[in-house]
Amino acid sequence: MQLHPNLARVFRRVDADKSAIGSKFPAVVRDLSTNGAFISGTPLPLLSRVALKFDLKGVGMIDAIGWVLWQRASDCELPTPTGVITLPKGFGVLFESIPLEVRSAIAALVAKS
């Protein structure tokens, strides 16, 4: 799309990183909510659209689609009153599409925690 030169000077767009389209990789769901999850593994580019498949105890295999909204580029150590906690590298996903019954099951699991 051709923009007017005045607009072109101030316009910014997010360009999709297409280098990993169709790639599969192992990762671990470390934190799960009805709206998203933290995935421990190699961080994906921000605003990547991802398809996730994971096993949810008591529900079975879950297929979800989401967007990478934040990332932790490497492991990070934080001091605590009793020592140090290590937060693993990974990324946060906001679910775009996940079945309602799965959201309900996640809500029930979170309520038990």
Side-chain angles (χ1 to χ4, degrees):
M1 171 171 56
Q2 191 71 6
L3 298 175
H4 185 278
N6 292 348
L7 182 57
R9 281 193 298 274
V10 296
F11 187 81
R12 290 190 314 177
R13 176 181 214 99
V14 174
D15 292 321
D17 179 347
K18 298 178 182 176
S19 64
I21 290 176
S23 298
K24 294 181 181 181
F25 60 92
V28 177
V29 176
R30 299 285 296 235
D31 188 14
L32 181 64
S33 75
T34 57
N35 294 322
F38 172 70
I39 311 297
S40 175
T42 302
L44 295 179
L46 295 173
L47 297 179
S48 295
R49 190 167 187 237
V50 296
L52 305 170
K53 186 174 194 115
F54 57 94
D55 188 26
L56 183 59
K57 188 177 181 177
V59 177
M61 289 305 290
I62 304 302
D63 288 306
I65 296 173
W67 295 90
V68 176
L69 294 188
W70 65 274
Q71 61 183 209
R72 190 178 301 130
S74 60
D75 293 351
C76 175
E77 290 186 345
L78 295 178
T80 68
T82 59
V84 174
I85 184 170
T86 301
L87 302 174
K89 68 181 177 180
F91 54 95
V93 172
L94 174 67
F95 292 142
E96 171 190 341
S97 175
I98 191 167
L100 182 58
E101 62 272 10
V102 173
R103 284 188 197 265
S104 296
I106 293 169
L109 286 173
V110 170
K112 289 180 186 178
S113 300

